[in-house]
Amino acid sequence: MAEREDLFSKDEPLIIAGPCAVESEEQMWSLALKLRKMDVRVLRAMFWKPRSSPESFQGVGRVLLPCIEEIKRKTGMHIVTEIVDGEQINEVGDVVDIYQVGARNMQNYELLKKLGMTSKPVILKRGLIATTEEWMNSAKYIGEDRVILCERGIRTGADSMRFTLDLNSLLVVKNDHGMPVIGDPSHSAGRSDMVPHLAKAIIACGADGVTIEVHENPEIALCDSKQQITPERFGVLLQDLRQLYTLTSGTAMTEELVA
Ligand code: PEP
Ligand code: MN
């Protein structure tokens, strides 16, 4: 089991990568092996997808749980999955090391309370129009000592982008609340060409890590095909992110800068 603190280091950003959704065994094996070679330690393996439209792909569900269990055993990677219903906590059992609460569920307090009764780290994504105060309150429902906050962009009315990545929020939650925080350039941009730039901005801003959607063949991905990047592009980006992190080490603002 992964303890939250073990996921972070002063030398390396926390890198979480994988597709928007688990689609097939072949997809997950091929991608996981590539990511492992790049020394990525946390794999996105989303079985359930909360989608804005009921007509969109809703996820494969637990059928591919044994496949992910085998990938975890062979690669030693930690597995993160989004929990959309409290029942799924038991369903995924020990296969999952880190739970995720999606933006649309940030204020699903009953779900947060159920996750609060577990002992694993929980990535809490910021709600689509949530203030940092509301986000912090949601973290309290789970237990602040187990939460990793994730800024994923908010609605600002700017229609040139799907969501606006709010870098200020990274600084607020990190510096005012001392919480570990990562950023998601994939869902904020909604466009693969913007992902590397936003990912670098997130690390440059002093975040502790990123979660990035990677797919070997984005054009045929069953969801979020426009924003997923290939493992090749991800590999290049990863080098930049690791290098940038040596300058920041997840330190949002140093004492001198604040003074
Ligand atoms: C996700 O990370 O898989 C996701 C659905 O993101 P969000 O909840 O931020 O839209
Ligand atoms: Mn997605």
Side-chain angles (χ1 to χ4, degrees), residues 20 44 49 187 213 223-224 227:
C20 177
R44 281 177 58 98
K49 296 301 304 174
H187 291 90
E213 287 192 344
C223 60
D224 286 347
Q227 72 197 31

Side-chain angles (χ1 to χ4, degrees), residues 113-131:
K113 283 185 208 165
K114 284 184 186 142
L115 286 162
M117 289 188 275
T118 68
S119 54
K120 293 176 184 171
V122 180
I123 295 170
L124 178 64
K125 300 194 87 174
R126 184 178 179 190
L128 308 186
I129 52 164
T131 63

Side-chain angles (χ1 to χ4, degrees), residues 97-142:
D97 303 283
I98 305 165
Y99 303 120
Q100 179 168 303
V101 175
R104 289 156 191 82
N105 271 321
M106 191 207 85
Q107 286 175 313
N108 181 343
Y109 300 117
E110 293 310 311
L111 178 64
L112 303 182
K113 283 185 208 165
K114 284 184 186 142
L115 286 162
M117 289 188 275
T118 68
S119 54
K120 293 176 184 171
V122 180
I123 295 170
L124 178 64
K125 300 194 87 174
R126 184 178 179 190
L128 308 186
I129 52 164
T131 63
T132 51
E133 198 184 337
E134 288 163 339
W135 195 15
M136 285 306 305
N137 277 333
S138 291
K140 287 183 198 150
Y141 271 98
I142 299 167

Side-chain angles (χ1 to χ4, degrees), residues 55-174:
E55 279 137 32
S56 303
F57 174 62
Q58 303 285 311
V60 293
R62 56 183 293 183
V63 285
L64 291 185
L65 201 59
C67 158
I68 300 300
E69 185 169 27
E70 187 65 6
I71 289 175
K72 172 181 158 127
R73 208 176 53 77
K74 282 261 167 65
T75 63
M77 292 172 98
H78 293 310
I79 304 297
V80 53
T81 207
E82 177 163 350
I83 298 292
V84 300
D85 175 327
E87 304 274 294
Q88 292 158 358
I89 297 169
N90 284 335
E91 286 185 41
V92 296
D94 288 341
V95 176
V96 167
D97 303 283
I98 305 165
Y99 303 120
Q100 179 168 303
V101 175
R104 289 156 191 82
N105 271 321
M106 191 207 85
Q107 286 175 313
N108 181 343
Y109 300 117
E110 293 310 311
L111 178 64
L112 303 182
K113 283 185 208 165
K114 284 184 186 142
L115 286 162
M117 289 188 275
T118 68
S119 54
K120 293 176 184 171
V122 180
I123 295 170
L124 178 64
K125 300 194 87 174
R126 184 178 179 190
L128 308 186
I129 52 164
T131 63
T132 51
E133 198 184 337
E134 288 163 339
W135 195 15
M136 285 306 305
N137 277 333
S138 291
K140 287 183 198 150
Y141 271 98
I142 299 167
E144 286 164 285
D145 55 337
R146 286 195 297 116
V147 168
I148 299 162
L149 297 167
C150 179
E151 165 60 43
R152 48 82 70 214
I154 50 168
R155 291 222 192 269
T156 56
D159 59 6
S160 59
M161 289 165 256
R162 219 161 75 135
F163 296 99
T164 304
L165 182 67
D166 180 14
L167 292 173
N168 300 15
S169 81
L170 296 174
L171 300 170
V172 170
V173 295
K174 192 110 210 278

